[in-house]
Amino acid sequence: MDDSESEEEAKDEIDSDDESNNDTKITSLVVKNKDNKKKKFDTEKLSALLQESEPLKISPKKLTPAEALRQKMSLQLNSARFRNMKDNLYKSYETTLIKITFGEVECFSVYHEGYKSQVTKWPINPLDLIIKWLNTKPAELVVADFGCGEAKLCQSVPQKKVFSLDLQSACEGVIVCDMAHTPLKTASVDIAVFCLSLMGTNIKDYVCEANRVLKQEGTLKIAEVESRFTGDINTFTKVLEKYGFKCIAKDTSHTFFFIFEFKKTWVPKKSLSLPDISLKPCVYKKR
């Protein structure tokens, strides 16, 4: 059979109005053209058939009762592990226990999954507000994200240089370090961010490190859970004044958290005895 006869047969088959569905027609058209290199696709007919065909619908896999039970138990176990890690982090001194808690990538993953689960229940995530604020700032500013987690901030702002710092790396680009002793140069950062990351009982060490890496007149942005503050929040801002930070703005309008903006005004002397910065542990209720 020559090429002309083959083409006529292919054309007849495409033009035929038989009872086959659109998917079959499309397959036939493609296969026949693939077998005959000299044949040209009838693009108009192919386009029409594709438009007529229904999109493929993939239904989610239905779990068996046993699989559903295992999934529920796994979620409950991870939730319990998250609460336990959270309690340890807030009540530990320095970073020894924190390093043990985050010593395994699995533990770090469980912690951040639990964190994300909690934050999604809030009307708004404080990190989103800080990202929105940073999007109004010049791109040449240098930002340090202390306790960055999955580095969402770095991926969402226009600033070209963002240092994502955490005790374990959840993604590429995170600098693994103790937040009280970062590898950043002194007076090299314009904006330092602590978003729900002032953990442990040595918060003063983190604030001192922020003062060290910030430039003069640099900005310190802090977002923390509302229940961690005891009494008047001005007590917190006054304590930070002794660490060289002046509060220039605070947002207490949200249900679950407060956001503070400080400006670095001076550098405390190392010999100066600084007061402790005390915040209550953030306790998550069992669900």
Side-chain angles (χ1 to χ4, degrees):
M1 182 181 294
D2 60 20
D3 289 346
S4 59
E5 291 176 345
S6 177
E7 288 183 31
E8 287 299 322
E9 287 185 6
K11 185 176 185 301
D12 290 340
E13 185 167 344
I14 295 167
D15 290 339
S16 63
D17 188 19
D18 57 18
E19 296 179 354
S20 61
N21 58 34
N22 287 332
D23 289 340
T24 304
K25 291 181 180 179
I26 294 170
T27 304
S28 176
L29 176 64
V30 173
V31 169
K32 286 181 178 297
N33 280 282
K34 186 176 180 181
D35 289 341
N36 192 340
K37 295 182 181 180
K38 295 183 179 180
K39 188 180 299 299
K40 296 182 179 179
F41 283 104
D42 189 335
T43 55
E44 292 183 0
K45 289 185 179 293
L46 179 58
S47 177
L49 290 174
L50 288 172
Q51 289 177 5
E52 291 173 10
S53 61
E54 294 183 0
L56 181 63
K57 296 180 180 179
I58 302 176
S59 301
K61 180 184 177 182
K62 187 175 181 180
L63 299 178
T64 65
E67 290 173 333
L69 179 60
R70 282 197 297 271
Q71 186 182 71
K72 181 179 179 181
M73 292 178 66
S74 177
L75 290 172
Q76 290 177 339
L77 176 61
N78 285 344
S79 180
R81 292 175 69 188
F82 168 72
R83 288 195 301 271
N84 182 58
M85 280 188 278
K86 199 76 172 175
D87 289 344
N88 288 334
L89 292 174
Y90 280 116
K91 296 174 183 178
S92 65
Y93 184 75
E94 295 183 347
T95 55
T96 304
L97 186 54
I98 296 177
K99 287 179 179 178
I100 294 173
T101 304
F102 285 159
E104 298 180 7
V105 175
E106 180 189 1
C107 291
F108 191 72
S109 177
V110 168
Y111 171 81
H112 279 289
E113 286 301 319
Y115 164 80
K116 286 192 293 185
S117 176
Q118 291 292 333
V119 172
T120 54
K121 298 172 185 176
W122 297 358
I124 190 168
N125 186 338
L127 182 59
D128 291 334
L129 294 178
I130 294 176
I131 289 172
K132 183 178 179 180
W133 175 78
L134 280 169
N135 272 274
T136 66
K137 302 300 177 183
E140 62 268 17
L141 295 182
V142 179
V143 180
D145 184 9
F146 287 76
C148 67
E150 296 178 331
K152 178 182 176 181
L153 184 145
C154 177
Q155 301 162 16
S156 310
V157 298
Q159 284 71 36
K160 298 176 181 178
K161 185 175 287 187
V162 178
F163 295 106
S164 299
L165 311 163
D166 216 322
L167 291 164
Q168 183 62 268
S169 176
C171 58
E172 187 177 355
V174 175
I175 300 173
V176 178
C177 64
D178 178 353
M179 290 194 298
H181 305 283
T182 72
L184 304 183
K185 295 180 180 180
T186 299
S188 61
V189 172
D190 296 291
I191 300 172
V193 175
F194 286 87
C195 185
L196 307 180
S197 56
L198 288 176
M199 300 180 182
T201 57
N202 61 315
I203 296 174
K204 61 184 296 183
D205 296 334
Y206 305 146
V207 175
C208 284
E209 180 66 359
N211 186 292
R212 182 187 72 80
V213 303
L214 277 170
K215 300 174 184 178
Q216 188 66 16
E217 303 293 312
T219 300
L220 171 63
K221 204 80 167 172
I222 295 176
E224 267 303 337
V225 178
E226 175 269 339
S227 61
R228 299 195 66 195
F229 297 89
T230 56
D232 188 1
I233 61 172
N234 290 325
T235 303
F236 174 72
T237 59
K238 288 179 180 177
V239 170
L240 261 70
E241 286 182 3
K242 299 182 183 298
Y243 285 78
F245 293 104
K246 180 181 179 180
C247 183
I248 59 175
K250 56 179 178 286
D251 183 357
T252 60
S253 63
H254 303 284
T255 306
F256 295 98
F257 58 87
F258 297 151
I259 296 182
F260 301 88
E261 184 176 335
F262 297 90
K263 180 180 289 187
K264 175 181 172 180
T265 55
W266 61 293
V267 180
K269 295 180 180 179
K270 292 184 179 180
S271 59
L272 188 64
S273 179
L274 296 171
D276 283 335
I277 301 174
S278 178
L279 292 175
K280 292 170 61 178
C282 183
V283 180
Y284 291 98
K285 296 180 181 180
K286 294 181 180 181
R287 300 290 179 182

